Amino acid sequence: MKIAAVLALTASTASAFMAPSTGAAKSQLNAFANGLVGGEGPEPMPFNLVGEKNAKNFDPAGFSERAPEWINWFREAELKHGRQAMLAVVGMVVPEFVRIPGEAFSFEAIPNVLDAHDALLDTSMKQILLWISLMEAMSLGALSNMNEFDREPGNFGFDPLGMMPKDAAKAKEMQLKELKNGRLAMVAIGGMVHGAITTGHGFPYL
């Protein structure tokens, strides 16, 4: 059961680093949020106080209308956080079953995955911070020029496995899958961390 859950979580991150398609015509896109995917919203939302009782064009705070020039920045931030959250979910579950070699990373040294941050603060955490900072610095140029070039938010041209479909409709479907998995992961990682804190147990935090 636990192994199946790990595999499912790992599979959900498969699209996390695939570059979205940049050649879709504007006429094929929904006008909401500059035509970015995610506004289709067939999911029912009975408590939606604005518009239809579903998630279509869901923007209760009105960000897309109040700051249209920042829409690409908003989506870029959402995708980056979603990708990080998908990796974080896997990173919370996998170490419950497998650890990398080294006494400092063993189950005896760190029985609870949540304690790894403080336990490795002077070693691994500094390396992680360094690499994250480097990746963020490398993306500043692409981010600052996002509205000046033919680049969709989240597209850094990184797709070494060639998993993004060439067909425009299938590429849009893949973008939507990544977006929804990222949104789910952002909610999930918060629940997982609080579940680990509250119960003091590892996955599935019961």
Side-chain angles (χ1 to χ4, degrees):
M1 188 69 164
K2 289 186 178 182
I3 300 298
V6 172
L7 293 176
L9 288 167
T10 304
S12 72
T13 65
S15 63
F17 295 101
M18 291 183 289
S21 172
T22 58
K26 288 293 182 182
S27 60
Q28 297 177 341
L29 297 173
N30 187 343
F32 176 74
N34 290 348
L36 297 173
V37 300
E40 296 81 354
E43 298 88 352
M45 297 187 65
F47 301 106
N48 186 6
L49 302 179
V50 182
E52 303 176 18
K53 299 299 182 180
N54 55 44
K56 182 177 181 180
N57 296 346
F58 183 70
D59 183 18
F63 288 117
S64 60
E65 296 179 358
R66 291 190 293 156
E69 70 279 7
W70 285 93
I71 288 179
N72 285 344
W73 189 89
F74 293 150
R75 175 51 56 86
E76 181 101 351
E78 180 178 26
L79 283 171
K80 290 176 76 173
H81 281 88
R83 291 166 178 172
Q84 292 166 357
M86 285 188 281
L87 289 172
V89 168
V90 176
M92 281 285 290
V93 176
V94 172
E96 298 284 358
F97 306 92
V98 181
R99 299 288 177 89
I100 61 175
E103 179 62 29
F105 312 108
S106 66
F107 289 97
E108 292 75 17
I110 310 176
N112 192 331
V113 174
L114 201 62
D115 296 332
H117 177 275
D118 292 344
L120 304 172
L121 193 60
D122 292 328
T123 55
S124 301
M125 290 299 113
K126 290 183 177 179
Q127 296 181 37
I128 291 174
L129 178 61
L130 174 64
W131 286 110
I132 290 176
S133 300
L134 179 61
M135 293 179 67
E136 285 293 323
M138 292 173 62
S139 68
L140 289 178
L143 180 60
S144 61
N145 292 299
M146 187 186 304
N147 294 324
E148 304 298 329
F149 299 102
D150 185 21
R151 182 181 84 84
E152 290 189 356
N155 184 356
F156 293 96
F158 183 74
D159 185 17
L161 300 180
M163 300 181 71
M164 177 58 71
K166 302 299 182 183
D167 180 73
K170 292 182 178 179
K172 185 177 179 181
E173 182 181 352
M174 184 66 77
Q175 292 176 0
L176 186 59
K177 288 180 179 179
E178 178 186 20
L179 183 65
K180 287 189 174 183
N181 277 295
R183 290 171 174 174
L184 177 61
M186 285 188 281
V187 176
I189 190 63
M192 294 169 72
V193 169
H194 284 83
I197 294 173
T198 302
T199 65
H201 298 154
F203 181 80
Y205 316 113
L206 298 176

